[in-house]
């Protein structure tokens, strides 16, 4: 295992040099999400050597680690104390490579998101370098903190366009003592109603995945709650469930394979939404609030359909990575994005164009 | 009046002509929606922090979004400060008027537009009271989770602006975790929708940025919140301890056991006594601390956890454990805690409520220091503590009519907040910075960080007319505060030039 090291100084110097020279930087951790967002450009700035868990207080439910710390290292440290990252960040093709900084920059959450909160919900504090080469600390290691704007959460999903993330403090949660997963026949359009019905009966649903034919349900909670939930849900037990949910989280199921076939779209939907009328196979997560669609339909049509349903669409894998990847912003919101970006990174050196063209 | 000047010279640099402003706002608002006479404006001169008072030039009470846009456009054009206000329950002076500006009251935006029980969503206007959302959801077996103690009065718009918490945050989150989207009017009078009913907002998480932004970025006109299903079962228990440290250890042990209670509250001896005298909740007045623990979930889950928590309490030296047997018992256990502020209000002419958050392991040290410092000032400071999330509310008792006591209380308060920062916490957990804690922000943040905050503010409000002088201190203010408050032998900002 690589050793823990605080490279704040070196990274800050690299940023200052880049600012001075006007050189755009392409911030990169383990590279497991290189595919995500618009195509990257600029001089690589690697953060993986800036690593290590800085502070972990199990009884305070808080962990702070440097950006380059592998998620796996964090997850193992938490597991040793019976705790977890409740948002289950994807590792994708790099079980060991994916880093905390990359996870936060991409803001992606796994199967538990609809039942236990998103990555952004668990961010308590950050240390970042802004585009003036200043090291700044926001938030902290406490659950409740309204001093100053919530810059820490703003970093989640900003794809590194606002600053270089150096350190993140997260709220962590106890790992439920029992878990069981079931699979049952269920029309995809019934996913929301079924999951909602279970939740309202107090059944501790912690993940759903509908592959088009079958609904897979994970229950996590106390022994007694999982036991009675298992009886109420019915269906067949999923063998080696942890591996199954890892494959869902990391998109290792054949459905997600974009080596061949049409691009993979990620369509976020309001609760209880009808399914998007888009040609192509569709899988559902998050009690139906997230649709994965393999479709060669035109991006315009797909976004139009997502909007009709009150959702938004991301060209997740494949397709034209130079074009629009994320759902277009309204004119006013786009203007706020530009000004906000400039407030952090006036010279536009951080991951230019990765999130939106011109940002 | 506060013991120190509220607004600084740089906060009141606006060149305004009251008559022109009133005339132009009169084009946008009808007669009773624009208050310009002193007697009519008096109720708006302060919020929940009544020691700070300031009359505005006018109070605008728009009825619809078009009028809000009109007011913002007029104020933008004339460069007039705007202080948005919900129910005015802020404890930090967040809606304290600006002497050269107007108050924008959102009180008439008080409609619940939609409750969708199937999808567990409510769409409301910002002036709707927090509790009114839960009341509207209740017939469907649903509720809105964040429950600040002022929930009977405080508005959801104010909750977003302060990122309000409450007693159930550890398990159910803050306002930011329970709001799906907001519609807001920008300083240019443009309407923006931030967030969405679908998960994960598009682009930057502006929704998170708006939470706790204290009316500095835009004016919110509609809010969509998620509702939760009522827990199937609830159980409440209360334990007494001989010292607060044992209470703190108990909290840590409950969490180490993998239990996240719905509510976990601690009170110290002074607070217990005041609450017991007021509501007769059967609190153990011999105890140095009591811990109230609420467990919720399915029946079997709660039964398992109840047993575990009682064991943990015993192992950590609880001198007495009471388990609520009836719904009345549950209500009674909570009654004392929920009435802690008014209870303290009964035993002292005035009290000043602090809102620091600390890492819980520092609790015993912080309480000891608070007690020592209080003695230094000759003041008493009962403490109530959201033990689950580390949010501490010391209540400094004083008599505003006794010469010098307000100054003492303010100074003690400031030192308590600095203590919270020192142990790795924050000056405000849920009440906001407002005007009250603006100086202590200089202790928590470095100049570069404050500059970044100011840059964010300018991105939304280039003329800086939304709630000027609040939430984020100017570097000048910090330089001056630093001269007065030497911190551990060091000036907070040695790099700044001093005059």
């Amino acid at each position: 295992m690589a050793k823990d090291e605080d490279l704040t100084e070196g990274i800050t110097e690299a940023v200052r040099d880049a600012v001075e020279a006007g050189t755009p930087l392409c911030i990169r951790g383990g590279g497991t999400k290189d595919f995500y967002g618009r195509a990257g450009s600029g001089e690589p700035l690697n953060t993986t050597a800036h690593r290590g868990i800085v502070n972990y207080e199990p009884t305070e439910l808080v962990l702070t680690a440097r950006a380059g710390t592998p998620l796996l290292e964090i997850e193992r440290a938490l597991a040793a104390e019976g705790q977890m990252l409740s948002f289950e960040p994807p590792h994708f093709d790099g079980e060991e490579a994916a880093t905390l900084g990359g996870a936060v920059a991409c803001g992606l959450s796994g199967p538990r998101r609809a039942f236990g909160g998103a990555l952004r919900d668990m961010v308590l504090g950050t240390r970042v370098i802004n585009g003036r080469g200043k090291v700044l600390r926001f938030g902290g290691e406490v659950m409740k903190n309204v001093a100053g704007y919530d810059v820490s959460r703003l970093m989640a999903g900003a794809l590194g366009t606002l600053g270089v993330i150096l350190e993140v403090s997260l709220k962590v949660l106890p790992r439920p003592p029992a878990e069981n997963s079931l699979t049952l026949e269920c029309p995809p359009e019934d996913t929301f109603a079924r999951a909602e019905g279970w939740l309202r009966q107090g059944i501790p649903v912690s993940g759903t995945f509908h592959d088009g034919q079958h609904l897979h349900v994970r229950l996590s909670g106390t022994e007694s709650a999982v036991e009675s939930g298992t009886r109420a849900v019915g269906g067949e037990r999923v063998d080696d469930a942890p591996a199954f949910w890892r494959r869902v989280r990391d998109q290792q199921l054949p459905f997600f394979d974009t080596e061949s076939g049409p691009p993979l779209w990620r369509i976020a939907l309001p609760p209880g939404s009808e399914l998007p009328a888009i040609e192509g196979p569709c899988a559902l997560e998050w009690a139906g609030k997230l649709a994965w669609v393999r479709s060669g339909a035109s991006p315009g049509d797909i976004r139009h359909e997502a909007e009709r349903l009150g959702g938004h669409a991301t060209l997740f894998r494949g397709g034209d990575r130079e074009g629009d990847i994320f759902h277009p912003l309204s004119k006013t919101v786009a203007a706020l994005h530009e000004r906000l970006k400039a407030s952090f990174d006036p010279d536009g050196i951080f991951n230019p164009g990765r999130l939106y063209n011109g940002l | 009046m506060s013991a120190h000047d509220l607004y600084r010279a740089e906060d009141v640099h606006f060149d305004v002509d009251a008559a022109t402003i009133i005339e132009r706002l009169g084009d946008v608002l009808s007669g009773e929606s624009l208050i310009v006479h002193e007697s009519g404006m008096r109720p708006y001169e302060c919020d929940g922090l009544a020691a700070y008072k300031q009359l505005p030039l006018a109070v605008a009470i728009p009825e619809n979004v078009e009028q809000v846009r009109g007011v913002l456009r007029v104020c933008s054009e004339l460069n007039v400060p705007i202080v948005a206000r919900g129910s005015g329950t802020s404890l930090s002076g967040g809606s304290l008027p600006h002497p050269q500006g107007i108050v924008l009251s959102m009180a008439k935006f008080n409609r619940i537009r939609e409750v969708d029980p199937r999808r567990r969503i409510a769409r409301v206007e910002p002036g709707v009271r927090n509790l009114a959302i839960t009341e509207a959801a209740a017939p469907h077996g649903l509720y809105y989770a964040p429950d600040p103690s002022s929930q009977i009065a405080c508005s959801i718009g104010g909750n977003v602006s302060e990122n309000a918490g409450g007693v159930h945050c550890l398990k159910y989150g803050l306002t930011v975790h329970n709001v799906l989207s907001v519609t807001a009017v920008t300083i240019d009078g443009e309407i923006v929708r931030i967030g969405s009913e679908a998960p994960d907002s598009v682009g930057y998480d502006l929704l998170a940025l708006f939470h706790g932004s204290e009316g500095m970025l835009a004016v919110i006109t509609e809010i969509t919140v998620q509702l939760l299903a009522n827990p199937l079962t609830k159980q409440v228990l209360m334990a007494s301890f001989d010292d607060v440290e044992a209470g703190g250890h108990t909290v840590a042990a409950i969490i180490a056991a993998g239990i996240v209670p719905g509510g976990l509250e601690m009170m110290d001896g002074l607070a217990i006594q005041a609450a017991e005298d007021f509501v007769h909740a059967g609190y153990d007045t011999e105890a140095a601390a009591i811990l109230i623990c609420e467990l919720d979930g399915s029946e079997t889950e709660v039964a398992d956890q109840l047993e575990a928590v009682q064991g943990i309490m015993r192992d950590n030296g609880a001198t007495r454990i009471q388990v609520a047997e009836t719904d009345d018992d549950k209500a009674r256990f909570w009654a004392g805690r929920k009435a802690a502020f008014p209870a303290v209000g009964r035993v002292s002419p005035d009290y000043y409520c602090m809102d620091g958050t600390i890492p819980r392991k520092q609790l015993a040290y912080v309480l000891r220091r608070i007690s020592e410092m209080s003695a230094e000032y000759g003041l008493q400071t009962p403490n109530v503590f959201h033990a689950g999330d580390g949010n501490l509310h010391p209540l400094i008792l004083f008599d505003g009519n006794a010469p010098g006591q307000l100054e003492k209380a303010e100074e003690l308060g400031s030192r308590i907040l600095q203590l919270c920062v020192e142990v790795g916490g924050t000056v405000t957990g849920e009440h906001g910075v407002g005007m009250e804690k603006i100086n202590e922000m200089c202790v928590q943040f470095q100049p570069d960080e404050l500059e970044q905050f100011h840059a964010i503010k300018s991105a939304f409000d280039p003329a800086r007319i939304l709630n000027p002088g609040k939430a984020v201190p100017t570097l000048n203010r910090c330089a001056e505060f630093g001269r007065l408050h030497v911190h551990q032998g060091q000036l907070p900002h040695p790099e700044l030039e001093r005059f």
Side-chain angles (χ1 to χ4, degrees), chain A residues 13-355:
Chain A
E13 208 156 297
V15 169
R16 285 181 183 160
D17 290 348
V19 173
E20 204 159 300
T23 314
L25 294 173
C26 180
I27 309 161
R28 191 167 188 265
T32 57
K33 291 173 278 288
D34 279 347
F35 69 87
Y36 186 59
R38 300 179 75 248
S41 63
E43 284 286 304
L45 176 71
N46 194 295
T47 59
T48 48
H50 179 66
R51 61 183 284 170
I53 295 171
V54 177
N55 184 32
Y56 173 34
E57 295 277 354
T59 66
E60 308 258 346
L61 300 178
V62 174
L63 179 141
T64 299
R66 297 189 186 104
T69 315
L71 286 175
L72 197 63
E73 184 181 328
I74 293 170
E75 286 160 348
R76 283 181 178 152
L78 290 169
E81 299 290 337
Q83 297 187 338
M84 63 175 185
L85 296 176
S86 59
F87 48 90
E88 287 185 281
H91 296 221
F92 295 120
D93 287 331
E95 180 62 12
E96 307 203 353
T99 63
L100 174 63
V104 173
C106 293
L108 296 170
S109 311
R112 205 180 293 265
R113 195 263 185 242
F115 314 95
L119 177 143
R120 63 83 97 158
D121 291 325
M122 301 299 153
V123 173
L124 300 176
T126 44
R127 264 175 82 232
V128 297
I129 309 173
N130 70 4
R132 293 175 191 81
K134 305 286 189 188
V135 178
L136 313 173
R137 184 186 290 274
F138 298 103
E141 297 190 305
V142 290
M143 306 279 160
K144 271 181 175 172
N145 187 352
V146 289
Y149 301 119
D150 196 345
V151 175
S152 304
R153 258 183 255 284
L154 188 61
M155 293 296 150
L159 279 178
T161 57
L162 297 177
V164 182
I165 299 170
L166 288 174
E167 209 172 283
V168 183
S169 299
L170 294 168
K171 178 179 177 180
V172 300
L173 283 174
R175 177 179 290 279
E179 204 154 87
N180 192 28
S181 294
L182 301 155
T183 173
L184 53 151
E185 300 261 354
C186 167
E189 56 273 20
D190 290 357
T191 302
F192 172 77
R194 294 295 285 273
E196 189 62 22
W198 291 324
L199 286 170
R200 292 200 197 191
Q201 290 171 53
I203 296 170
V205 180
S206 69
T208 70
F209 181 75
H210 201 300
D211 60 14
Q213 250 88 65
H214 291 89
L215 176 60
H216 300 74
V217 187
R218 183 177 58 186
L219 310 177
S220 314
T222 59
E223 293 282 354
S224 53
V226 170
E227 223 170 84
S228 59
T230 298
R231 279 197 302 273
V233 171
E236 306 275 313
R237 195 167 187 280
V238 176
D239 292 330
D240 197 8
F244 173 78
W245 292 105
R246 259 198 316 276
R247 286 197 293 273
V248 171
R249 181 195 76 183
D250 294 341
Q251 303 191 330
Q252 304 295 318
L253 298 169
F255 173 89
F256 294 106
D257 183 7
T258 43
E259 290 291 304
S260 61
L264 174 68
W265 285 84
R266 177 188 191 273
I267 301 173
L269 296 165
S273 166
E274 58 181 283
L275 298 182
I278 298 169
E279 212 186 293
C282 173
L284 298 171
E285 275 194 79
W286 301 355
K289 286 190 276 189
L290 182 62
W292 297 102
V293 183
R294 298 295 305 272
S295 181
S298 88
D301 287 351
I302 290 174
R303 295 194 200 281
H304 186 77
E305 174 64 2
E307 263 173 55
R308 184 183 73 83
L309 298 172
H312 47 89
T314 303
L315 178 54
F316 203 79
R317 286 180 193 261
D320 175 13
R321 306 314 290 182
E322 310 281 334
D324 280 342
I325 296 298
F326 297 98
H327 208 89
L329 304 168
S330 76
K331 201 169 143 237
T332 315
V333 174
L336 290 176
H337 273 64
E338 279 162 27
R339 295 210 293 268
L340 191 60
K341 160 81 173 175
S343 82
F344 281 90
D345 179 20
D347 302 313
I349 61 159
F350 294 136
N351 285 359
R354 189 81 192 258
L355 188 59

Side-chain angles (χ1 to χ4, degrees), chain B residues 410-432:
Chain B
E410 284 192 321
E411 200 178 312
L412 172 57
S414 181
R415 284 184 60 190
I416 290 174
L417 296 185
Q418 294 178 57
L419 171 67
C420 292
V421 175
E422 226 173 86
V423 300
T426 174
V427 297
T428 176
E430 56 182 356
H431 295 173

